[in-house]
Amino acid sequence: MKNYTQKTVEDFDKPLLCYLGDTALSVNFGEQIDPKLIAQVHAFDSAFNKLNLVGVIETVPTYRAITIFFDPLIIDLEELETSVMHLASNHFVARSVGRVWEVPVTYGDGFGTDLKDVAARLAMTENDLIEAHTAPLYLVAMVGFLPGFSYLSGLDPILSVPRLSEPRAKIPSSSISIGGSQTAIGSLEGPSGWHVIGRTPIRPFELERTPPFLFKPGDRVKFRSISAREWLILDENSARGSLILDSVEE
Amino acid sequence: MTALEVDQCGLGASVQDTGRYGHRRYGVSTAGVMDRRALGLANALVGNSVDKAVVELALSGASFRVSGGQVLLSVCGPGTRLTVSGQSIPKHTSAKAVDGDIVTVGPPRNGFYSYLAIAGGFQTASVLGSRSCHRRSGIGGNLLSKGDLLPCLTTTATKSLCFPEGFNYNNDDAIGIIPGPQFDMFNEGVWSQLLSTRYKISQRSDRMGICLIGPRLLCDKGHDIVSEGVVPGSIQVPGDGTPIVLGRDCQTVGGYPKIATVISTDLDRIAQFPVGCEFRFRIVSKQEGLDAARRFSLWQNSLKKKVRPVGELTSNLFSHNLISGVTKGDEI
């Protein structure tokens, strides 16, 4: 996990610009889920936010695009477009922009109701599945859907499993799930069509805590399998507002 | 403590202001009032700046009991009326209420949302910079229900204000849209349907999205895209081809193609279209959208000057409404 840096992005193609009405600009780098695109988006997002352009309210980086929200009364669109295209033409080195977190997870029995089914579907043992899920260093590609809900890139393709045909109305908070070729750390209780394989005692979003949000787009995550007993202890600390994990590296 | 106690309200009642910004990258939706025009008007009528927190009601009326002190209230929205302990208050006029008074807001007869403003603004907790309730995440509190106490400030401003100019929430102008990031996933035939057919507001509409009834808009290559940022006003088209105009409670990202975006000033208008209302879309330029936003801001900033103490200009008001003929019969 040391000195994790992205390779130089060599083909930083011209992004496609498209306005979302009179309040936002979408800067689109591609159409797929591709680690290289995600790195481009995050590097661009981090560089763009350093410009502190007048009239820009906030940005939302996703897998392949960033959305720039602006105040239509203040923004100078010409300046915005010029800055965006100028930044995009820079062949800058896309370094890892975030921190690395080790996230404890209790898999299966009472914590991940779908672990057994998913393992059976993939013709694996539960232990092999857990091993394959804890092996990669994932990238937080995007946070969205609900506050703190973190979409991770880097799932081993052998763990891909189609989403449920009928989404569930509610899955527990902090669920670890797999949907298609993606995996995610849930935050609040909510609806989901993904398979729940485990649960972390960590709360990615806790309003009363400083900071309220744990994972940022660009952060990296490694899962660690823990026992049910350990989960209960950590969850108790978590409930008291303790962070219960450190970022391994800034 | 001065407060309004919810006596009775419909399903979609919540506290809203101009919304929560700066946290969308963490998945926090902006929320905020569905109709910023009514927010500005209701606030101006009680002497507030246009961004103070109000109570938003969807498709139904509500009643509240005043406790602890004196307040100045106003109600805005298409066809909505304010009653204070049985006394009906003229439209676009604020009114004083005292401890024990029952304040009733009538349903929005010709629209979707009604707004109740109070001098000083509702003092519910500000969360991440806003008092707006986002129902899905619970940020900013929950929907209102019977017995809830809404803290407010005791006011010394008891002079009722009125808005002699009047205001027309809905007109027949088409809803302005700018083609969206996936506009080219829809073929010419689909586009001409979107622009030539009248769409209808579905009763399934809420703060998350305004659902439309009309010709289905189908993509040749399916309706799944890799999720990206969306904005209130994005017209998302899921697999069944039914367009949804995203509302202020919409998620921060979405995985359906966005054929177009409703410009910000027309999002306020379409939000107030009543269930079953038919309307058209038209394509506008980015510049038209920006100009409309600028005009809206000027109008909003002019409200404070346009409100007048009740009584001061009664004769003027009469001549304006009855003789000049500038107000239409359907004006609310």
PDB file of all heavy atoms in Angstrom, chain A residues 141-174:
ATOM      1  N   ALA A 141     -14.491   5.652  -6.419  1.00  0.00           N
ATOM      2  CA  ALA A 141     -14.690   6.277  -7.726  1.00  0.00           C
ATOM      3  C   ALA A 141     -15.660   7.442  -7.613  1.00  0.00           C
ATOM      4  O   ALA A 141     -15.504   8.464  -8.271  1.00  0.00           O
ATOM      5  CB  ALA A 141     -15.226   5.251  -8.721  1.00  0.00           C
ATOM      6  N   MET A 142     -16.652   7.286  -6.750  1.00  0.00           N
ATOM      7  CA  MET A 142     -17.726   8.272  -6.712  1.00  0.00           C
ATOM      8  C   MET A 142     -18.480   8.099  -5.403  1.00  0.00           C
ATOM      9  O   MET A 142     -18.604   6.990  -4.891  1.00  0.00           O
ATOM     10  CB  MET A 142     -18.605   7.987  -7.932  1.00  0.00           C
ATOM     11  CG  MET A 142     -19.978   8.524  -7.924  1.00  0.00           C
ATOM     12  SD  MET A 142     -20.734   8.214  -9.552  1.00  0.00           S
ATOM     13  CE  MET A 142     -21.914   6.957  -9.109  1.00  0.00           C
ATOM     14  N   VAL A 143     -18.951   9.218  -4.843  1.00  0.00           N
ATOM     15  CA  VAL A 143     -19.819   9.155  -3.669  1.00  0.00           C
ATOM     16  C   VAL A 143     -21.158   9.752  -4.083  1.00  0.00           C
ATOM     17  O   VAL A 143     -21.201  10.861  -4.619  1.00  0.00           O
ATOM     18  CB  VAL A 143     -19.218   9.929  -2.473  1.00  0.00           C
ATOM     19  CG1 VAL A 143     -20.129   9.843  -1.255  1.00  0.00           C
ATOM     20  CG2 VAL A 143     -17.837   9.396  -2.127  1.00  0.00           C
ATOM     21  N   GLY A 144     -22.223   9.019  -3.853  1.00  0.00           N
ATOM     22  CA  GLY A 144     -23.514   9.552  -4.291  1.00  0.00           C
ATOM     23  C   GLY A 144     -24.638   8.622  -3.938  1.00  0.00           C
ATOM     24  O   GLY A 144     -24.452   7.710  -3.127  1.00  0.00           O
ATOM     25  N   PHE A 145     -25.781   8.834  -4.544  1.00  0.00           N
ATOM     26  CA  PHE A 145     -26.996   8.062  -4.283  1.00  0.00           C
ATOM     27  C   PHE A 145     -27.579   8.468  -2.942  1.00  0.00           C
ATOM     28  O   PHE A 145     -28.673   9.017  -2.869  1.00  0.00           O
ATOM     29  CB  PHE A 145     -26.731   6.561  -4.359  1.00  0.00           C
ATOM     30  CG  PHE A 145     -27.900   5.710  -3.976  1.00  0.00           C
ATOM     31  CD1 PHE A 145     -29.110   5.845  -4.635  1.00  0.00           C
ATOM     32  CD2 PHE A 145     -27.802   4.793  -2.941  1.00  0.00           C
ATOM     33  CE1 PHE A 145     -30.206   5.070  -4.264  1.00  0.00           C
ATOM     34  CE2 PHE A 145     -28.896   4.015  -2.572  1.00  0.00           C
ATOM     35  CZ  PHE A 145     -30.089   4.162  -3.242  1.00  0.00           C
ATOM     36  N   LEU A 146     -26.858   8.194  -1.851  1.00  0.00           N
ATOM     37  CA  LEU A 146     -27.214   8.696  -0.525  1.00  0.00           C
ATOM     38  C   LEU A 146     -25.948   9.307   0.067  1.00  0.00           C
ATOM     39  O   LEU A 146     -24.846   8.970  -0.363  1.00  0.00           O
ATOM     40  CB  LEU A 146     -27.700   7.553   0.363  1.00  0.00           C
ATOM     41  CG  LEU A 146     -29.140   7.087   0.161  1.00  0.00           C
ATOM     42  CD1 LEU A 146     -29.403   5.799   0.939  1.00  0.00           C
ATOM     43  CD2 LEU A 146     -30.137   8.162   0.586  1.00  0.00           C
ATOM     44  N   PRO A 147     -26.066  10.191   1.056  1.00  0.00           N
ATOM     45  CA  PRO A 147     -24.867  10.798   1.635  1.00  0.00           C
ATOM     46  C   PRO A 147     -23.880   9.735   2.105  1.00  0.00           C
ATOM     47  O   PRO A 147     -24.245   8.845   2.869  1.00  0.00           O
ATOM     48  CB  PRO A 147     -25.402  11.592   2.832  1.00  0.00           C
ATOM     49  CG  PRO A 147     -26.843  11.814   2.540  1.00  0.00           C
ATOM     50  CD  PRO A 147     -27.294  10.672   1.695  1.00  0.00           C
ATOM     51  N   GLY A 148     -22.654   9.804   1.628  1.00  0.00           N
ATOM     52  CA  GLY A 148     -21.611   8.894   2.075  1.00  0.00           C
ATOM     53  C   GLY A 148     -21.540   7.564   1.351  1.00  0.00           C
ATOM     54  O   GLY A 148     -20.586   6.814   1.522  1.00  0.00           O
ATOM     55  N   PHE A 149     -22.541   7.244   0.543  1.00  0.00           N
ATOM     56  CA  PHE A 149     -22.541   5.962  -0.188  1.00  0.00           C
ATOM     57  C   PHE A 149     -21.388   5.966  -1.183  1.00  0.00           C
ATOM     58  O   PHE A 149     -21.340   6.778  -2.094  1.00  0.00           O
ATOM     59  CB  PHE A 149     -23.877   5.772  -0.911  1.00  0.00           C
ATOM     60  CG  PHE A 149     -24.061   4.404  -1.516  1.00  0.00           C
ATOM     61  CD1 PHE A 149     -24.813   3.438  -0.868  1.00  0.00           C
ATOM     62  CD2 PHE A 149     -23.487   4.086  -2.747  1.00  0.00           C
ATOM     63  CE1 PHE A 149     -24.990   2.173  -1.431  1.00  0.00           C
ATOM     64  CE2 PHE A 149     -23.651   2.821  -3.311  1.00  0.00           C
ATOM     65  CZ  PHE A 149     -24.404   1.858  -2.648  1.00  0.00           C
ATOM     66  N   SER A 150     -20.421   5.027  -0.983  1.00  0.00           N
ATOM     67  CA  SER A 150     -19.174   5.084  -1.760  1.00  0.00           C
ATOM     68  C   SER A 150     -19.088   3.955  -2.774  1.00  0.00           C
ATOM     69  O   SER A 150     -19.063   2.779  -2.410  1.00  0.00           O
ATOM     70  CB  SER A 150     -17.985   5.021  -0.806  1.00  0.00           C
ATOM     71  OG  SER A 150     -18.106   6.036   0.180  1.00  0.00           O
ATOM     72  N   TYR A 151     -19.040   4.325  -4.032  1.00  0.00           N
ATOM     73  CA  TYR A 151     -18.879   3.359  -5.124  1.00  0.00           C
ATOM     74  C   TYR A 151     -17.399   3.097  -5.310  1.00  0.00           C
ATOM     75  O   TYR A 151     -16.621   4.033  -5.475  1.00  0.00           O
ATOM     76  CB  TYR A 151     -19.434   3.936  -6.428  1.00  0.00           C
ATOM     77  CG  TYR A 151     -20.930   4.134  -6.462  1.00  0.00           C
ATOM     78  CD1 TYR A 151     -21.513   5.260  -5.906  1.00  0.00           C
ATOM     79  CD2 TYR A 151     -21.752   3.192  -7.068  1.00  0.00           C
ATOM     80  CE1 TYR A 151     -22.884   5.456  -5.956  1.00  0.00           C
ATOM     81  CE2 TYR A 151     -23.122   3.376  -7.123  1.00  0.00           C
ATOM     82  CZ  TYR A 151     -23.683   4.506  -6.566  1.00  0.00           C
ATOM     83  OH  TYR A 151     -25.040   4.686  -6.621  1.00  0.00           O
ATOM     84  N   LEU A 152     -17.013   1.800  -5.290  1.00  0.00           N
ATOM     85  CA  LEU A 152     -15.604   1.452  -5.397  1.00  0.00           C
ATOM     86  C   LEU A 152     -15.296   0.846  -6.756  1.00  0.00           C
ATOM     87  O   LEU A 152     -16.095   0.094  -7.307  1.00  0.00           O
ATOM     88  CB  LEU A 152     -15.232   0.448  -4.302  1.00  0.00           C
ATOM     89  CG  LEU A 152     -15.570   0.844  -2.869  1.00  0.00           C
ATOM     90  CD1 LEU A 152     -15.113  -0.255  -1.912  1.00  0.00           C
ATOM     91  CD2 LEU A 152     -14.924   2.164  -2.495  1.00  0.00           C
ATOM     92  N   SER A 153     -14.124   1.169  -7.260  1.00  0.00           N
ATOM     93  CA  SER A 153     -13.660   0.545  -8.487  1.00  0.00           C
ATOM     94  C   SER A 153     -12.531  -0.405  -8.121  1.00  0.00           C
ATOM     95  O   SER A 153     -11.763  -0.138  -7.196  1.00  0.00           O
ATOM     96  CB  SER A 153     -13.211   1.649  -9.445  1.00  0.00           C
ATOM     97  OG  SER A 153     -12.050   1.287 -10.109  1.00  0.00           O
ATOM     98  N   GLY A 154     -12.444  -1.539  -8.819  1.00  0.00           N
ATOM     99  CA  GLY A 154     -11.355  -2.473  -8.559  1.00  0.00           C
ATOM    100  C   GLY A 154     -11.816  -3.868  -8.173  1.00  0.00           C
ATOM    101  O   GLY A 154     -11.005  -4.711  -7.789  1.00  0.00           O
ATOM    102  N   LEU A 155     -13.146  -4.117  -8.272  1.00  0.00           N
ATOM    103  CA  LEU A 155     -13.659  -5.445  -7.926  1.00  0.00           C
ATOM    104  C   LEU A 155     -13.078  -6.490  -8.890  1.00  0.00           C
ATOM    105  O   LEU A 155     -13.047  -6.270 -10.098  1.00  0.00           O
ATOM    106  CB  LEU A 155     -15.195  -5.455  -8.021  1.00  0.00           C
ATOM    107  CG  LEU A 155     -15.886  -6.771  -7.623  1.00  0.00           C
ATOM    108  CD1 LEU A 155     -15.810  -6.981  -6.117  1.00  0.00           C
ATOM    109  CD2 LEU A 155     -17.342  -6.787  -8.080  1.00  0.00           C
ATOM    110  N   ASP A 156     -12.621  -7.597  -8.317  1.00  0.00           N
ATOM    111  CA  ASP A 156     -12.143  -8.717  -9.132  1.00  0.00           C
ATOM    112  C   ASP A 156     -13.300  -9.184 -10.032  1.00  0.00           C
ATOM    113  O   ASP A 156     -14.374  -9.514  -9.533  1.00  0.00           O
ATOM    114  CB  ASP A 156     -11.698  -9.852  -8.193  1.00  0.00           C
ATOM    115  CG  ASP A 156     -11.003 -10.990  -8.934  1.00  0.00           C
ATOM    116  OD1 ASP A 156     -11.326 -11.211 -10.130  1.00  0.00           O
ATOM    117  OD2 ASP A 156     -10.152 -11.653  -8.316  1.00  0.00           O
ATOM    118  N   PRO A 157     -13.069  -9.214 -11.353  1.00  0.00           N
ATOM    119  CA  PRO A 157     -14.166  -9.571 -12.272  1.00  0.00           C
ATOM    120  C   PRO A 157     -14.820 -10.908 -11.948  1.00  0.00           C
ATOM    121  O   PRO A 157     -15.988 -11.102 -12.276  1.00  0.00           O
ATOM    122  CB  PRO A 157     -13.480  -9.628 -13.643  1.00  0.00           C
ATOM    123  CG  PRO A 157     -12.243  -8.808 -13.496  1.00  0.00           C
ATOM    124  CD  PRO A 157     -11.830  -8.880 -12.065  1.00  0.00           C
ATOM    125  N   ILE A 158     -14.082 -11.824 -11.280  1.00  0.00           N
ATOM    126  CA  ILE A 158     -14.715 -13.114 -10.964  1.00  0.00           C
ATOM    127  C   ILE A 158     -15.843 -12.948  -9.944  1.00  0.00           C
ATOM    128  O   ILE A 158     -16.653 -13.842  -9.770  1.00  0.00           O
ATOM    129  CB  ILE A 158     -13.696 -14.176 -10.451  1.00  0.00           C
ATOM    130  CG1 ILE A 158     -13.069 -13.735  -9.118  1.00  0.00           C
ATOM    131  CG2 ILE A 158     -12.632 -14.490 -11.475  1.00  0.00           C
ATOM    132  CD1 ILE A 158     -12.420 -14.897  -8.363  1.00  0.00           C
ATOM    133  N   LEU A 159     -15.902 -11.786  -9.293  1.00  0.00           N
ATOM    134  CA  LEU A 159     -16.962 -11.560  -8.300  1.00  0.00           C
ATOM    135  C   LEU A 159     -18.166 -10.812  -8.879  1.00  0.00           C
ATOM    136  O   LEU A 159     -19.102 -10.480  -8.160  1.00  0.00           O
ATOM    137  CB  LEU A 159     -16.410 -10.795  -7.091  1.00  0.00           C
ATOM    138  CG  LEU A 159     -15.333 -11.499  -6.267  1.00  0.00           C
ATOM    139  CD1 LEU A 159     -14.977 -10.681  -5.036  1.00  0.00           C
ATOM    140  CD2 LEU A 159     -15.792 -12.898  -5.848  1.00  0.00           C
ATOM    141  N   SER A 160     -18.149 -10.543 -10.179  1.00  0.00           N
ATOM    142  CA  SER A 160     -19.285  -9.857 -10.811  1.00  0.00           C
ATOM    143  C   SER A 160     -20.533 -10.720 -10.718  1.00  0.00           C
ATOM    144  O   SER A 160     -20.477 -11.910 -11.024  1.00  0.00           O
ATOM    145  CB  SER A 160     -19.003  -9.630 -12.301  1.00  0.00           C
ATOM    146  OG  SER A 160     -18.134  -8.574 -12.455  1.00  0.00           O
ATOM    147  N   VAL A 161     -21.605 -10.098 -10.309  1.00  0.00           N
ATOM    148  CA  VAL A 161     -22.873 -10.829 -10.256  1.00  0.00           C
ATOM    149  C   VAL A 161     -24.017  -9.841 -10.538  1.00  0.00           C
ATOM    150  O   VAL A 161     -24.039  -8.746  -9.985  1.00  0.00           O
ATOM    151  CB  VAL A 161     -23.019 -11.574  -8.896  1.00  0.00           C
ATOM    152  CG1 VAL A 161     -22.799 -10.650  -7.717  1.00  0.00           C
ATOM    153  CG2 VAL A 161     -24.360 -12.253  -8.773  1.00  0.00           C
ATOM    154  N   PRO A 162     -24.915 -10.207 -11.487  1.00  0.00           N
ATOM    155  CA  PRO A 162     -25.964  -9.256 -11.887  1.00  0.00           C
ATOM    156  C   PRO A 162     -26.788  -8.772 -10.695  1.00  0.00           C
ATOM    157  O   PRO A 162     -26.966  -9.509  -9.720  1.00  0.00           O
ATOM    158  CB  PRO A 162     -26.854 -10.076 -12.827  1.00  0.00           C
ATOM    159  CG  PRO A 162     -26.034 -11.229 -13.258  1.00  0.00           C
ATOM    160  CD  PRO A 162     -25.049 -11.495 -12.177  1.00  0.00           C
ATOM    161  N   ARG A 163     -27.276  -7.548 -10.784  1.00  0.00           N
ATOM    162  CA  ARG A 163     -28.104  -6.991  -9.700  1.00  0.00           C
ATOM    163  C   ARG A 163     -29.382  -7.791  -9.532  1.00  0.00           C
ATOM    164  O   ARG A 163     -29.800  -8.513 -10.430  1.00  0.00           O
ATOM    165  CB  ARG A 163     -28.473  -5.541 -10.028  1.00  0.00           C
ATOM    166  CG  ARG A 163     -27.269  -4.655 -10.066  1.00  0.00           C
ATOM    167  CD  ARG A 163     -27.619  -3.286 -10.591  1.00  0.00           C
ATOM    168  NE  ARG A 163     -26.364  -2.627 -10.981  1.00  0.00           N
ATOM    169  CZ  ARG A 163     -26.270  -1.352 -11.318  1.00  0.00           C
ATOM    170  NH1 ARG A 163     -27.335  -0.594 -11.344  1.00  0.00           N
ATOM    171  NH2 ARG A 163     -25.110  -0.838 -11.651  1.00  0.00           N
ATOM    172  N   LEU A 164     -30.010  -7.651  -8.386  1.00  0.00           N
ATOM    173  CA  LEU A 164     -31.301  -8.302  -8.144  1.00  0.00           C
ATOM    174  C   LEU A 164     -32.318  -7.759  -9.137  1.00  0.00           C
ATOM    175  O   LEU A 164     -32.292  -6.573  -9.475  1.00  0.00           O
ATOM    176  CB  LEU A 164     -31.787  -7.996  -6.723  1.00  0.00           C
ATOM    177  CG  LEU A 164     -30.906  -8.431  -5.551  1.00  0.00           C
ATOM    178  CD1 LEU A 164     -31.418  -7.821  -4.249  1.00  0.00           C
ATOM    179  CD2 LEU A 164     -30.887  -9.943  -5.444  1.00  0.00           C
ATOM    180  N   SER A 165     -33.205  -8.616  -9.622  1.00  0.00           N
ATOM    181  CA  SER A 165     -34.215  -8.139 -10.563  1.00  0.00           C
ATOM    182  C   SER A 165     -35.254  -7.285  -9.829  1.00  0.00           C
ATOM    183  O   SER A 165     -35.811  -6.356 -10.380  1.00  0.00           O
ATOM    184  CB  SER A 165     -34.879  -9.303 -11.289  1.00  0.00           C
ATOM    185  OG  SER A 165     -35.261 -10.287 -10.356  1.00  0.00           O
ATOM    186  N   GLU A 166     -35.499  -7.619  -8.567  1.00  0.00           N
ATOM    187  CA  GLU A 166     -36.422  -6.823  -7.750  1.00  0.00           C
ATOM    188  C   GLU A 166     -35.621  -6.160  -6.628  1.00  0.00           C
ATOM    189  O   GLU A 166     -35.229  -6.837  -5.681  1.00  0.00           O
ATOM    190  CB  GLU A 166     -37.486  -7.725  -7.119  1.00  0.00           C
ATOM    191  CG  GLU A 166     -38.546  -8.227  -8.064  1.00  0.00           C
ATOM    192  CD  GLU A 166     -39.635  -7.190  -8.304  1.00  0.00           C
ATOM    193  OE1 GLU A 166     -40.075  -6.548  -7.329  1.00  0.00           O
ATOM    194  OE2 GLU A 166     -40.023  -7.019  -9.476  1.00  0.00           O
ATOM    195  N   PRO A 167     -35.371  -4.857  -6.720  1.00  0.00           N
ATOM    196  CA  PRO A 167     -34.615  -4.212  -5.642  1.00  0.00           C
ATOM    197  C   PRO A 167     -35.335  -4.340  -4.302  1.00  0.00           C
ATOM    198  O   PRO A 167     -36.559  -4.434  -4.260  1.00  0.00           O
ATOM    199  CB  PRO A 167     -34.569  -2.741  -6.064  1.00  0.00           C
ATOM    200  CG  PRO A 167     -34.858  -2.727  -7.516  1.00  0.00           C
ATOM    201  CD  PRO A 167     -35.749  -3.913  -7.777  1.00  0.00           C
ATOM    202  N   ARG A 168     -34.557  -4.365  -3.211  1.00  0.00           N
ATOM    203  CA  ARG A 168     -35.157  -4.409  -1.877  1.00  0.00           C
ATOM    204  C   ARG A 168     -35.483  -2.987  -1.429  1.00  0.00           C
ATOM    205  O   ARG A 168     -34.764  -2.050  -1.758  1.00  0.00           O
ATOM    206  CB  ARG A 168     -34.169  -5.013  -0.885  1.00  0.00           C
ATOM    207  CG  ARG A 168     -33.866  -6.461  -1.159  1.00  0.00           C
ATOM    208  CD  ARG A 168     -33.037  -7.024   0.000  1.00  0.00           C
ATOM    209  NE  ARG A 168     -32.814  -8.437  -0.225  1.00  0.00           N
ATOM    210  CZ  ARG A 168     -31.605  -8.960  -0.469  1.00  0.00           C
ATOM    211  NH1 ARG A 168     -30.536  -8.184  -0.462  1.00  0.00           N
ATOM    212  NH2 ARG A 168     -31.463 -10.250  -0.694  1.00  0.00           N
ATOM    213  N   ALA A 169     -36.535  -2.867  -0.637  1.00  0.00           N
ATOM    214  CA  ALA A 169     -36.940  -1.544  -0.154  1.00  0.00           C
ATOM    215  C   ALA A 169     -35.939  -1.006   0.864  1.00  0.00           C
ATOM    216  O   ALA A 169     -35.747   0.191   0.997  1.00  0.00           O
ATOM    217  CB  ALA A 169     -38.333  -1.614   0.445  1.00  0.00           C
ATOM    218  N   LYS A 170     -35.276  -1.922   1.577  1.00  0.00           N
ATOM    219  CA  LYS A 170     -34.383  -1.476   2.632  1.00  0.00           C
ATOM    220  C   LYS A 170     -33.250  -2.462   2.849  1.00  0.00           C
ATOM    221  O   LYS A 170     -33.500  -3.659   2.995  1.00  0.00           O
ATOM    222  CB  LYS A 170     -35.160  -1.361   3.952  1.00  0.00           C
ATOM    223  CG  LYS A 170     -35.248   0.052   4.465  1.00  0.00           C
ATOM    224  CD  LYS A 170     -36.136   0.111   5.685  1.00  0.00           C
ATOM    225  CE  LYS A 170     -36.742   1.506   5.814  1.00  0.00           C
ATOM    226  NZ  LYS A 170     -37.566   1.654   6.998  1.00  0.00           N
ATOM    227  N   ILE A 171     -32.013  -1.961   2.880  1.00  0.00           N
ATOM    228  CA  ILE A 171     -30.916  -2.788   3.376  1.00  0.00           C
ATOM    229  C   ILE A 171     -30.272  -2.013   4.532  1.00  0.00           C
ATOM    230  O   ILE A 171     -30.396  -0.796   4.607  1.00  0.00           O
ATOM    231  CB  ILE A 171     -29.883  -3.158   2.286  1.00  0.00           C
ATOM    232  CG1 ILE A 171     -29.156  -1.925   1.766  1.00  0.00           C
ATOM    233  CG2 ILE A 171     -30.544  -3.923   1.144  1.00  0.00           C
ATOM    234  CD1 ILE A 171     -27.901  -2.241   0.964  1.00  0.00           C
ATOM    235  N   PRO A 172     -29.595  -2.745   5.463  1.00  0.00           N
ATOM    236  CA  PRO A 172     -29.062  -2.065   6.656  1.00  0.00           C
ATOM    237  C   PRO A 172     -28.020  -1.005   6.299  1.00  0.00           C
ATOM    238  O   PRO A 172     -27.393  -1.075   5.241  1.00  0.00           O
ATOM    239  CB  PRO A 172     -28.411  -3.205   7.449  1.00  0.00           C
ATOM    240  CG  PRO A 172     -28.986  -4.465   6.908  1.00  0.00           C
ATOM    241  CD  PRO A 172     -29.342  -4.198   5.486  1.00  0.00           C
ATOM    242  N   SER A 173     -27.832  -0.067   7.206  1.00  0.00           N
ATOM    243  CA  SER A 173     -26.778   0.936   7.037  1.00  0.00           C
ATOM    244  C   SER A 173     -25.417   0.249   7.009  1.00  0.00           C
ATOM    245  O   SER A 173     -25.260  -0.858   7.531  1.00  0.00           O
ATOM    246  CB  SER A 173     -26.836   1.935   8.188  1.00  0.00           C
ATOM    247  OG  SER A 173     -26.653   1.260   9.414  1.00  0.00           O
ATOM    248  N   SER A 174     -24.445   0.879   6.382  1.00  0.00           N
ATOM    249  CA  SER A 174     -23.056   0.395   6.330  1.00  0.00           C
ATOM    250  C   SER A 174     -22.900  -0.996   5.713  1.00  0.00           C
ATOM    251  O   SER A 174     -21.969  -1.725   6.039  1.00  0.00           O
ATOM    252  CB  SER A 174     -22.414   0.418   7.726  1.00  0.00           C
ATOM    253  OG  SER A 174     -22.374   1.740   8.219  1.00  0.00           O
TER     254      SER A 174
END
